[in-house]
Amino acid sequence: KFGSSARDSGYRRGPGMAPVGESSDELIKFLEKDLPDVIAKYDKLWEVQDPEENPYKTKYEARTVLQSAVTRLQGLLPTAGGEADRCRASIAKFQLYLGKNYYFCEEVPEAERHFNRALEGFLRLPSRLDPENFVLIQDVFNQLGMLWCNRQGHSEGMNFLRRAQIMFLRRPQTVRDTCDSKAENNYTLTIFYLAQAYGALQKPHLSARFCAETMRHQLEHNAPGRRTQEVMERDPFDCKDWVRNCCSLSDFFANECMFWTAEYLLHAALVMCEQCKEICGLEPEGLDELRAECLRDTGQLYSVRLKFAKTCAENPEACEQVWRGERKPVPAASNAPESEGSRLTFRCSADHESPQASDATPVL
């Protein structure tokens, strides 16, 4: 559990320092007037397309903007008074943005450090369950989960992704009332990464489940009226890719002899091909060829199901062993020690070999 620091209320001014009230006013001015300009400047630099010979030119410039803001906030924090939590929340948010910047520029170890600082900063806030902070914590968990999965550290990545999943499923009512759309968008990324992580951990059933859940969220998110025209133009929904994912997922369920689920997915793909314009508001090229592929896959599914039915009639005992359906296997007893990935720490992978790291204890 994390509480507010006693130093905030018991701060005493040293010789030559500005009175607390004056510094607090300066912080409020920075938070309410200067900070929006910093974010706007950063966003403007981020949207610039850099040349191939210097692909991160404006991203480095944008990084210095954030670093200057963090330095300024850290300088104002000791005399922030009652605005200390707002100041810490802004620092944590900018640490998150810096982590994304470093990750985009392929500086992964430094990105991880900033993500960890952001996570620790957010979790120490008394206001961590406020809607704005809540969705940012979701985002940090997603970023750390993605970072570890891309390193092939799927157990460590799962640790962060499962926390993000549980956060969403147990989100407070205030989050549901004020920014549920942002929370759902973050959750869509969470289950997308979970599908990848479970696949890498040799848990195909869970991977397939989260693949299907991701596709459902994609479809709901891109339904007519859910997004503005500007957002749709900037981030269009690829319905052809969605149809191909349906077909791939159908193959998995067909191989598991779950023919009803496989057939449902193929019919969903066919409906998307036939009603793409009504569902998504656009009709991409090559949709007729994709519809023909779906019909071909449906025919193959029916053929496999007929062969399986024939085999069941001829040799029911053998089919009983093959047909898993949706039955869950009995979990084997395990006395394995707790995995490193099941505990939450704020250490980076680059710090694991350092002498200080051996004395560090998990925070959560």
Side-chain angles (χ1 to χ4, degrees), residues 8-9 11 13 17-34 72-87:
D8 295 341
S9 56
Y11 176 78
R13 180 168 60 96
M17 294 180 66
V20 174
E22 293 179 12
S23 182
S24 180
D25 291 342
E26 187 179 356
L27 174 61
I28 292 173
K29 176 181 176 296
F30 185 78
L31 290 173
E32 295 181 357
K33 295 183 178 180
D34 298 340
R72 179 68 173 147
L73 287 166
Q74 289 172 337
L76 293 170
L77 180 59
T79 55
E83 297 295 326
D85 286 337
R86 282 183 67 192
C87 185

PDB file of all heavy atoms in Angstrom, residues 8-9 11 13 17-34 72-87:
ATOM      1  N   ASP A   8       5.270  16.355   2.685  1.00  0.00           N
ATOM      2  CA  ASP A   8       4.473  17.354   1.969  1.00  0.00           C
ATOM      3  C   ASP A   8       3.849  18.354   2.932  1.00  0.00           C
ATOM      4  O   ASP A   8       3.806  19.551   2.670  1.00  0.00           O
ATOM      5  CB  ASP A   8       3.368  16.661   1.160  1.00  0.00           C
ATOM      6  CG  ASP A   8       3.974  15.802   0.079  1.00  0.00           C
ATOM      7  OD1 ASP A   8       5.153  16.006  -0.272  1.00  0.00           O
ATOM      8  OD2 ASP A   8       3.258  14.916  -0.401  1.00  0.00           O
ATOM      9  N   SER A   9       3.315  17.845   4.031  1.00  0.00           N
ATOM     10  CA  SER A   9       2.633  18.734   4.971  1.00  0.00           C
ATOM     11  C   SER A   9       3.587  19.335   5.989  1.00  0.00           C
ATOM     12  O   SER A   9       3.325  20.401   6.530  1.00  0.00           O
ATOM     13  CB  SER A   9       1.527  17.972   5.703  1.00  0.00           C
ATOM     14  OG  SER A   9       2.075  16.841   6.339  1.00  0.00           O
ATOM     15  N   TYR A  11       6.815  20.305   5.447  1.00  0.00           N
ATOM     16  CA  TYR A  11       7.986  20.907   4.804  1.00  0.00           C
ATOM     17  C   TYR A  11       8.361  22.216   5.480  1.00  0.00           C
ATOM     18  O   TYR A  11       7.506  23.029   5.813  1.00  0.00           O
ATOM     19  CB  TYR A  11       7.696  21.159   3.320  1.00  0.00           C
ATOM     20  CG  TYR A  11       8.829  21.880   2.618  1.00  0.00           C
ATOM     21  CD1 TYR A  11       9.958  21.172   2.242  1.00  0.00           C
ATOM     22  CD2 TYR A  11       8.755  23.238   2.382  1.00  0.00           C
ATOM     23  CE1 TYR A  11      11.004  21.825   1.621  1.00  0.00           C
ATOM     24  CE2 TYR A  11       9.794  23.886   1.765  1.00  0.00           C
ATOM     25  CZ  TYR A  11      10.914  23.177   1.382  1.00  0.00           C
ATOM     26  OH  TYR A  11      11.939  23.828   0.773  1.00  0.00           O
ATOM     27  N   ARG A  13      10.978  25.555   5.089  1.00  0.00           N
ATOM     28  CA  ARG A  13      11.794  26.301   4.137  1.00  0.00           C
ATOM     29  C   ARG A  13      13.179  26.549   4.719  1.00  0.00           C
ATOM     30  O   ARG A  13      13.334  26.951   5.866  1.00  0.00           O
ATOM     31  CB  ARG A  13      11.090  27.623   3.812  1.00  0.00           C
ATOM     32  CG  ARG A  13      11.825  28.502   2.848  1.00  0.00           C
ATOM     33  CD  ARG A  13      10.911  29.615   2.380  1.00  0.00           C
ATOM     34  NE  ARG A  13      10.440  30.433   3.485  1.00  0.00           N
ATOM     35  CZ  ARG A  13      11.026  31.574   3.849  1.00  0.00           C
ATOM     36  NH1 ARG A  13      12.109  31.979   3.210  1.00  0.00           N
ATOM     37  NH2 ARG A  13      10.542  32.291   4.846  1.00  0.00           N
ATOM     38  N   MET A  17      15.513  30.210   0.378  1.00  0.00           N
ATOM     39  CA  MET A  17      14.545  29.550  -0.496  1.00  0.00           C
ATOM     40  C   MET A  17      13.256  30.358  -0.554  1.00  0.00           C
ATOM     41  O   MET A  17      12.914  31.078   0.381  1.00  0.00           O
ATOM     42  CB  MET A  17      14.230  28.136   0.008  1.00  0.00           C
ATOM     43  CG  MET A  17      15.428  27.189  -0.057  1.00  0.00           C
ATOM     44  SD  MET A  17      15.018  25.547   0.535  1.00  0.00           S
ATOM     45  CE  MET A  17      13.859  25.052  -0.723  1.00  0.00           C
ATOM     46  N   ALA A  18      12.545  30.212  -1.679  1.00  0.00           N
ATOM     47  CA  ALA A  18      11.287  30.942  -1.854  1.00  0.00           C
ATOM     48  C   ALA A  18      10.238  30.428  -0.894  1.00  0.00           C
ATOM     49  O   ALA A  18      10.224  29.242  -0.540  1.00  0.00           O
ATOM     50  CB  ALA A  18      10.798  30.804  -3.291  1.00  0.00           C
ATOM     51  N   PRO A  19       9.358  31.286  -0.393  1.00  0.00           N
ATOM     52  CA  PRO A  19       8.255  30.814   0.454  1.00  0.00           C
ATOM     53  C   PRO A  19       7.432  29.759  -0.262  1.00  0.00           C
ATOM     54  O   PRO A  19       7.297  29.777  -1.489  1.00  0.00           O
ATOM     55  CB  PRO A  19       7.447  32.089   0.721  1.00  0.00           C
ATOM     56  CG  PRO A  19       8.390  33.207   0.476  1.00  0.00           C
ATOM     57  CD  PRO A  19       9.331  32.746  -0.574  1.00  0.00           C
ATOM     58  N   VAL A  20       6.879  28.855   0.532  1.00  0.00           N
ATOM     59  CA  VAL A  20       6.110  27.743  -0.038  1.00  0.00           C
ATOM     60  C   VAL A  20       4.952  28.256  -0.881  1.00  0.00           C
ATOM     61  O   VAL A  20       4.665  27.762  -1.961  1.00  0.00           O
ATOM     62  CB  VAL A  20       5.600  26.819   1.090  1.00  0.00           C
ATOM     63  CG1 VAL A  20       4.677  25.753   0.521  1.00  0.00           C
ATOM     64  CG2 VAL A  20       6.778  26.161   1.802  1.00  0.00           C
ATOM     65  N   GLY A  21       4.252  29.263  -0.418  1.00  0.00           N
ATOM     66  CA  GLY A  21       3.098  29.766  -1.146  1.00  0.00           C
ATOM     67  C   GLY A  21       3.477  30.296  -2.518  1.00  0.00           C
ATOM     68  O   GLY A  21       2.797  30.038  -3.511  1.00  0.00           O
ATOM     69  N   GLU A  22       4.599  31.022  -2.588  1.00  0.00           N
ATOM     70  CA  GLU A  22       5.028  31.561  -3.879  1.00  0.00           C
ATOM     71  C   GLU A  22       5.393  30.441  -4.831  1.00  0.00           C
ATOM     72  O   GLU A  22       5.044  30.465  -6.015  1.00  0.00           O
ATOM     73  CB  GLU A  22       6.219  32.495  -3.674  1.00  0.00           C
ATOM     74  CG  GLU A  22       5.893  33.772  -2.920  1.00  0.00           C
ATOM     75  CD  GLU A  22       7.122  34.643  -2.734  1.00  0.00           C
ATOM     76  OE1 GLU A  22       8.131  34.347  -3.393  1.00  0.00           O
ATOM     77  OE2 GLU A  22       7.064  35.601  -1.949  1.00  0.00           O
ATOM     78  N   SER A  23       6.123  29.436  -4.329  1.00  0.00           N
ATOM     79  CA  SER A  23       6.514  28.321  -5.194  1.00  0.00           C
ATOM     80  C   SER A  23       5.287  27.528  -5.641  1.00  0.00           C
ATOM     81  O   SER A  23       5.224  27.060  -6.769  1.00  0.00           O
ATOM     82  CB  SER A  23       7.490  27.410  -4.444  1.00  0.00           C
ATOM     83  OG  SER A  23       7.921  26.357  -5.260  1.00  0.00           O
ATOM     84  N   SER A  24       4.305  27.358  -4.743  1.00  0.00           N
ATOM     85  CA  SER A  24       3.090  26.642  -5.109  1.00  0.00           C
ATOM     86  C   SER A  24       2.339  27.376  -6.211  1.00  0.00           C
ATOM     87  O   SER A  24       1.820  26.751  -7.141  1.00  0.00           O
ATOM     88  CB  SER A  24       2.202  26.484  -3.875  1.00  0.00           C
ATOM     89  OG  SER A  24       1.018  25.801  -4.197  1.00  0.00           O
ATOM     90  N   ASP A  25       2.294  28.704  -6.118  1.00  0.00           N
ATOM     91  CA  ASP A  25       1.651  29.489  -7.178  1.00  0.00           C
ATOM     92  C   ASP A  25       2.390  29.315  -8.497  1.00  0.00           C
ATOM     93  O   ASP A  25       1.775  29.226  -9.562  1.00  0.00           O
ATOM     94  CB  ASP A  25       1.618  30.970  -6.786  1.00  0.00           C
ATOM     95  CG  ASP A  25       0.671  31.231  -5.621  1.00  0.00           C
ATOM     96  OD1 ASP A  25      -0.190  30.363  -5.367  1.00  0.00           O
ATOM     97  OD2 ASP A  25       0.813  32.283  -4.969  1.00  0.00           O
ATOM     98  N   GLU A  26       3.709  29.261  -8.399  1.00  0.00           N
ATOM     99  CA  GLU A  26       4.512  29.063  -9.620  1.00  0.00           C
ATOM    100  C   GLU A  26       4.235  27.689 -10.226  1.00  0.00           C
ATOM    101  O   GLU A  26       4.138  27.542 -11.447  1.00  0.00           O
ATOM    102  CB  GLU A  26       5.999  29.200  -9.271  1.00  0.00           C
ATOM    103  CG  GLU A  26       6.921  29.183 -10.485  1.00  0.00           C
ATOM    104  CD  GLU A  26       8.380  29.350 -10.101  1.00  0.00           C
ATOM    105  OE1 GLU A  26       8.671  29.553  -8.896  1.00  0.00           O
ATOM    106  OE2 GLU A  26       9.227  29.256 -11.004  1.00  0.00           O
ATOM    107  N   LEU A  27       4.082  26.690  -9.359  1.00  0.00           N
ATOM    108  CA  LEU A  27       3.771  25.343  -9.846  1.00  0.00           C
ATOM    109  C   LEU A  27       2.399  25.307 -10.502  1.00  0.00           C
ATOM    110  O   LEU A  27       2.224  24.701 -11.570  1.00  0.00           O
ATOM    111  CB  LEU A  27       3.821  24.348  -8.683  1.00  0.00           C
ATOM    112  CG  LEU A  27       3.388  22.904  -9.006  1.00  0.00           C
ATOM    113  CD1 LEU A  27       4.274  22.294 -10.070  1.00  0.00           C
ATOM    114  CD2 LEU A  27       3.387  22.052  -7.743  1.00  0.00           C
ATOM    115  N   ILE A  28       1.400  25.944  -9.870  1.00  0.00           N
ATOM    116  CA  ILE A  28       0.057  25.963 -10.450  1.00  0.00           C
ATOM    117  C   ILE A  28       0.085  26.622 -11.829  1.00  0.00           C
ATOM    118  O   ILE A  28      -0.544  26.140 -12.784  1.00  0.00           O
ATOM    119  CB  ILE A  28      -0.911  26.694  -9.505  1.00  0.00           C
ATOM    120  CG1 ILE A  28      -1.119  25.885  -8.226  1.00  0.00           C
ATOM    121  CG2 ILE A  28      -2.252  26.937 -10.195  1.00  0.00           C
ATOM    122  CD1 ILE A  28      -1.919  26.601  -7.165  1.00  0.00           C
ATOM    123  N   LYS A  29       0.823  27.724 -11.944  1.00  0.00           N
ATOM    124  CA  LYS A  29       0.946  28.398 -13.243  1.00  0.00           C
ATOM    125  C   LYS A  29       1.576  27.472 -14.277  1.00  0.00           C
ATOM    126  O   LYS A  29       1.122  27.385 -15.418  1.00  0.00           O
ATOM    127  CB  LYS A  29       1.789  29.665 -13.087  1.00  0.00           C
ATOM    128  CG  LYS A  29       2.068  30.401 -14.408  1.00  0.00           C
ATOM    129  CD  LYS A  29       2.920  31.617 -14.176  1.00  0.00           C
ATOM    130  CE  LYS A  29       3.278  32.289 -15.512  1.00  0.00           C
ATOM    131  NZ  LYS A  29       4.100  31.430 -16.371  1.00  0.00           N
ATOM    132  N   PHE A  30       2.617  26.745 -13.849  1.00  0.00           N
ATOM    133  CA  PHE A  30       3.284  25.835 -14.787  1.00  0.00           C
ATOM    134  C   PHE A  30       2.350  24.696 -15.195  1.00  0.00           C
ATOM    135  O   PHE A  30       2.290  24.327 -16.379  1.00  0.00           O
ATOM    136  CB  PHE A  30       4.547  25.273 -14.142  1.00  0.00           C
ATOM    137  CG  PHE A  30       5.366  24.413 -15.071  1.00  0.00           C
ATOM    138  CD1 PHE A  30       6.179  24.980 -16.041  1.00  0.00           C
ATOM    139  CD2 PHE A  30       5.306  23.023 -14.990  1.00  0.00           C
ATOM    140  CE1 PHE A  30       6.920  24.180 -16.903  1.00  0.00           C
ATOM    141  CE2 PHE A  30       6.038  22.223 -15.843  1.00  0.00           C
ATOM    142  CZ  PHE A  30       6.849  22.807 -16.812  1.00  0.00           C
ATOM    143  N   LEU A  31       1.615  24.146 -14.228  1.00  0.00           N
ATOM    144  CA  LEU A  31       0.726  23.021 -14.523  1.00  0.00           C
ATOM    145  C   LEU A  31      -0.436  23.425 -15.420  1.00  0.00           C
ATOM    146  O   LEU A  31      -0.833  22.674 -16.318  1.00  0.00           O
ATOM    147  CB  LEU A  31       0.188  22.420 -13.224  1.00  0.00           C
ATOM    148  CG  LEU A  31       1.177  21.649 -12.343  1.00  0.00           C
ATOM    149  CD1 LEU A  31       0.520  21.271 -11.028  1.00  0.00           C
ATOM    150  CD2 LEU A  31       1.687  20.408 -13.051  1.00  0.00           C
ATOM    151  N   GLU A  32      -0.995  24.597 -15.184  1.00  0.00           N
ATOM    152  CA  GLU A  32      -2.224  24.986 -15.881  1.00  0.00           C
ATOM    153  C   GLU A  32      -1.980  25.783 -17.154  1.00  0.00           C
ATOM    154  O   GLU A  32      -2.829  25.751 -18.061  1.00  0.00           O
ATOM    155  CB  GLU A  32      -3.104  25.795 -14.918  1.00  0.00           C
ATOM    156  CG  GLU A  32      -3.583  24.962 -13.733  1.00  0.00           C
ATOM    157  CD  GLU A  32      -4.470  25.748 -12.791  1.00  0.00           C
ATOM    158  OE1 GLU A  32      -4.654  26.964 -13.041  1.00  0.00           O
ATOM    159  OE2 GLU A  32      -4.985  25.158 -11.816  1.00  0.00           O
ATOM    160  N   LYS A  33      -0.848  26.489 -17.254  1.00  0.00           N
ATOM    161  CA  LYS A  33      -0.605  27.320 -18.440  1.00  0.00           C
ATOM    162  C   LYS A  33       0.527  26.794 -19.311  1.00  0.00           C
ATOM    163  O   LYS A  33       0.404  26.710 -20.532  1.00  0.00           O
ATOM    164  CB  LYS A  33      -0.311  28.759 -18.014  1.00  0.00           C
ATOM    165  CG  LYS A  33      -1.493  29.454 -17.351  1.00  0.00           C
ATOM    166  CD  LYS A  33      -1.167  30.905 -17.025  1.00  0.00           C
ATOM    167  CE  LYS A  33      -2.374  31.612 -16.391  1.00  0.00           C
ATOM    168  NZ  LYS A  33      -2.057  33.030 -16.066  1.00  0.00           N
ATOM    169  N   ASP A  34       1.647  26.458 -18.688  1.00  0.00           N
ATOM    170  CA  ASP A  34       2.822  26.059 -19.467  1.00  0.00           C
ATOM    171  C   ASP A  34       2.758  24.601 -19.930  1.00  0.00           C
ATOM    172  O   ASP A  34       3.189  24.271 -21.032  1.00  0.00           O
ATOM    173  CB  ASP A  34       4.093  26.277 -18.641  1.00  0.00           C
ATOM    174  CG  ASP A  34       4.293  27.735 -18.282  1.00  0.00           C
ATOM    175  OD1 ASP A  34       3.693  28.587 -18.969  1.00  0.00           O
ATOM    176  OD2 ASP A  34       5.031  28.030 -17.329  1.00  0.00           O
ATOM    177  N   ARG A  72      11.942  20.723 -14.660  1.00  0.00           N
ATOM    178  CA  ARG A  72      11.260  21.862 -14.064  1.00  0.00           C
ATOM    179  C   ARG A  72      10.303  21.411 -12.947  1.00  0.00           C
ATOM    180  O   ARG A  72      10.262  22.006 -11.865  1.00  0.00           O
ATOM    181  CB  ARG A  72      10.482  22.601 -15.147  1.00  0.00           C
ATOM    182  CG  ARG A  72       9.693  23.806 -14.668  1.00  0.00           C
ATOM    183  CD  ARG A  72      10.601  24.904 -14.226  1.00  0.00           C
ATOM    184  NE  ARG A  72       9.849  26.129 -13.926  1.00  0.00           N
ATOM    185  CZ  ARG A  72      10.206  26.985 -12.998  1.00  0.00           C
ATOM    186  NH1 ARG A  72      11.301  26.774 -12.280  1.00  0.00           N
ATOM    187  NH2 ARG A  72       9.501  28.077 -12.797  1.00  0.00           N
ATOM    188  N   LEU A  73       9.545  20.362 -13.205  1.00  0.00           N
ATOM    189  CA  LEU A  73       8.606  19.852 -12.204  1.00  0.00           C
ATOM    190  C   LEU A  73       9.336  19.314 -10.973  1.00  0.00           C
ATOM    191  O   LEU A  73       8.897  19.530  -9.834  1.00  0.00           O
ATOM    192  CB  LEU A  73       7.740  18.758 -12.820  1.00  0.00           C
ATOM    193  CG  LEU A  73       6.669  19.219 -13.814  1.00  0.00           C
ATOM    194  CD1 LEU A  73       6.125  18.033 -14.599  1.00  0.00           C
ATOM    195  CD2 LEU A  73       5.539  19.949 -13.101  1.00  0.00           C
ATOM    196  N   GLN A  74      10.432  18.610 -11.192  1.00  0.00           N
ATOM    197  CA  GLN A  74      11.200  18.083 -10.063  1.00  0.00           C
ATOM    198  C   GLN A  74      11.790  19.210  -9.223  1.00  0.00           C
ATOM    199  O   GLN A  74      11.907  19.082  -8.001  1.00  0.00           O
ATOM    200  CB  GLN A  74      12.303  17.151 -10.572  1.00  0.00           C
ATOM    201  CG  GLN A  74      11.766  15.836 -11.115  1.00  0.00           C
ATOM    202  CD  GLN A  74      12.825  14.995 -11.789  1.00  0.00           C
ATOM    203  OE1 GLN A  74      13.867  15.524 -12.239  1.00  0.00           O
ATOM    204  NE2 GLN A  74      12.593  13.700 -11.898  1.00  0.00           N
ATOM    205  N   GLY A  75      12.155  20.325  -9.867  1.00  0.00           N
ATOM    206  CA  GLY A  75      12.652  21.469  -9.127  1.00  0.00           C
ATOM    207  C   GLY A  75      11.581  22.145  -8.297  1.00  0.00           C
ATOM    208  O   GLY A  75      11.862  22.692  -7.223  1.00  0.00           O
ATOM    209  N   LEU A  76      10.334  22.103  -8.777  1.00  0.00           N
ATOM    210  CA  LEU A  76       9.235  22.736  -8.049  1.00  0.00           C
ATOM    211  C   LEU A  76       8.625  21.826  -6.984  1.00  0.00           C
ATOM    212  O   LEU A  76       7.917  22.306  -6.100  1.00  0.00           O
ATOM    213  CB  LEU A  76       8.135  23.154  -9.034  1.00  0.00           C
ATOM    214  CG  LEU A  76       8.482  24.273 -10.015  1.00  0.00           C
ATOM    215  CD1 LEU A  76       7.393  24.396 -11.083  1.00  0.00           C
ATOM    216  CD2 LEU A  76       8.651  25.604  -9.277  1.00  0.00           C
ATOM    217  N   LEU A  77       8.893  20.520  -7.062  1.00  0.00           N
ATOM    218  CA  LEU A  77       8.245  19.562  -6.162  1.00  0.00           C
ATOM    219  C   LEU A  77       8.533  19.808  -4.682  1.00  0.00           C
ATOM    220  O   LEU A  77       7.606  19.731  -3.860  1.00  0.00           O
ATOM    221  CB  LEU A  77       8.645  18.135  -6.553  1.00  0.00           C
ATOM    222  CG  LEU A  77       8.048  17.003  -5.712  1.00  0.00           C
ATOM    223  CD1 LEU A  77       6.524  17.045  -5.754  1.00  0.00           C
ATOM    224  CD2 LEU A  77       8.561  15.654  -6.198  1.00  0.00           C
ATOM    225  N   PRO A  78       9.784  20.089  -4.264  1.00  0.00           N
ATOM    226  CA  PRO A  78      10.044  20.224  -2.816  1.00  0.00           C
ATOM    227  C   PRO A  78       9.213  21.305  -2.132  1.00  0.00           C
ATOM    228  O   PRO A  78       8.963  21.231  -0.935  1.00  0.00           O
ATOM    229  CB  PRO A  78      11.546  20.556  -2.764  1.00  0.00           C
ATOM    230  CG  PRO A  78      12.103  19.999  -4.020  1.00  0.00           C
ATOM    231  CD  PRO A  78      11.041  20.192  -5.045  1.00  0.00           C
ATOM    232  N   THR A  79       8.795  22.329  -2.869  1.00  0.00           N
ATOM    233  CA  THR A  79       8.004  23.407  -2.265  1.00  0.00           C
ATOM    234  C   THR A  79       6.590  23.452  -2.831  1.00  0.00           C
ATOM    235  O   THR A  79       5.958  24.505  -2.862  1.00  0.00           O
ATOM    236  CB  THR A  79       8.708  24.760  -2.524  1.00  0.00           C
ATOM    237  OG1 THR A  79       8.924  24.920  -3.930  1.00  0.00           O
ATOM    238  CG2 THR A  79      10.033  24.823  -1.800  1.00  0.00           C
ATOM    239  N   ALA A  80       6.113  22.286  -3.276  1.00  0.00           N
ATOM    240  CA  ALA A  80       4.808  22.253  -3.947  1.00  0.00           C
ATOM    241  C   ALA A  80       3.641  22.356  -2.986  1.00  0.00           C
ATOM    242  O   ALA A  80       2.525  22.701  -3.388  1.00  0.00           O
ATOM    243  CB  ALA A  80       4.689  20.972  -4.775  1.00  0.00           C
ATOM    244  N   GLY A  81       3.859  22.021  -1.728  1.00  0.00           N
ATOM    245  CA  GLY A  81       2.765  22.108  -0.761  1.00  0.00           C
ATOM    246  C   GLY A  81       1.609  21.196  -1.117  1.00  0.00           C
ATOM    247  O   GLY A  81       1.779  20.013  -1.383  1.00  0.00           O
ATOM    248  N   GLY A  82       0.411  21.758  -1.152  1.00  0.00           N
ATOM    249  CA  GLY A  82      -0.784  20.961  -1.440  1.00  0.00           C
ATOM    250  C   GLY A  82      -0.903  20.496  -2.868  1.00  0.00           C
ATOM    251  O   GLY A  82      -1.774  19.683  -3.187  1.00  0.00           O
ATOM    252  N   GLU A  83      -0.040  21.014  -3.746  1.00  0.00           N
ATOM    253  CA  GLU A  83      -0.072  20.602  -5.154  1.00  0.00           C
ATOM    254  C   GLU A  83       0.951  19.503  -5.455  1.00  0.00           C
ATOM    255  O   GLU A  83       1.206  19.199  -6.620  1.00  0.00           O
ATOM    256  CB  GLU A  83       0.214  21.810  -6.057  1.00  0.00           C
ATOM    257  CG  GLU A  83      -0.815  22.917  -5.956  1.00  0.00           C
ATOM    258  CD  GLU A  83      -2.177  22.484  -6.446  1.00  0.00           C
ATOM    259  OE1 GLU A  83      -2.239  21.676  -7.392  1.00  0.00           O
ATOM    260  OE2 GLU A  83      -3.185  22.939  -5.874  1.00  0.00           O
ATOM    261  N   ALA A  84       1.535  18.909  -4.394  1.00  0.00           N
ATOM    262  CA  ALA A  84       2.604  17.925  -4.601  1.00  0.00           C
ATOM    263  C   ALA A  84       2.123  16.713  -5.388  1.00  0.00           C
ATOM    264  O   ALA A  84       2.836  16.202  -6.255  1.00  0.00           O
ATOM    265  CB  ALA A  84       3.172  17.494  -3.246  1.00  0.00           C
ATOM    266  N   ASP A  85       0.898  16.238  -5.096  1.00  0.00           N
ATOM    267  CA  ASP A  85       0.406  15.046  -5.799  1.00  0.00           C
ATOM    268  C   ASP A  85       0.178  15.323  -7.279  1.00  0.00           C
ATOM    269  O   ASP A  85       0.453  14.470  -8.131  1.00  0.00           O
ATOM    270  CB  ASP A  85      -0.886  14.554  -5.150  1.00  0.00           C
ATOM    271  CG  ASP A  85      -0.626  13.870  -3.813  1.00  0.00           C
ATOM    272  OD1 ASP A  85       0.513  13.408  -3.607  1.00  0.00           O
ATOM    273  OD2 ASP A  85      -1.545  13.821  -2.977  1.00  0.00           O
ATOM    274  N   ARG A  86      -0.335  16.517  -7.596  1.00  0.00           N
ATOM    275  CA  ARG A  86      -0.486  16.881  -9.006  1.00  0.00           C
ATOM    276  C   ARG A  86       0.867  16.924  -9.700  1.00  0.00           C
ATOM    277  O   ARG A  86       1.008  16.490 -10.845  1.00  0.00           O
ATOM    278  CB  ARG A  86      -1.169  18.240  -9.138  1.00  0.00           C
ATOM    279  CG  ARG A  86      -2.668  18.228  -8.944  1.00  0.00           C
ATOM    280  CD  ARG A  86      -3.249  19.613  -9.176  1.00  0.00           C
ATOM    281  NE  ARG A  86      -3.121  20.033 -10.567  1.00  0.00           N
ATOM    282  CZ  ARG A  86      -3.326  21.271 -10.987  1.00  0.00           C
ATOM    283  NH1 ARG A  86      -3.651  22.225 -10.120  1.00  0.00           N
ATOM    284  NH2 ARG A  86      -3.210  21.575 -12.261  1.00  0.00           N
ATOM    285  N   CYS A  87       1.845  17.448  -9.002  1.00  0.00           N
ATOM    286  CA  CYS A  87       3.192  17.529  -9.571  1.00  0.00           C
ATOM    287  C   CYS A  87       3.763  16.138  -9.817  1.00  0.00           C
ATOM    288  O   CYS A  87       4.313  15.861 -10.880  1.00  0.00           O
ATOM    289  CB  CYS A  87       4.088  18.329  -8.626  1.00  0.00           C
ATOM    290  SG  CYS A  87       5.744  18.646  -9.267  1.00  0.00           S
TER     291      CYS A  87
END
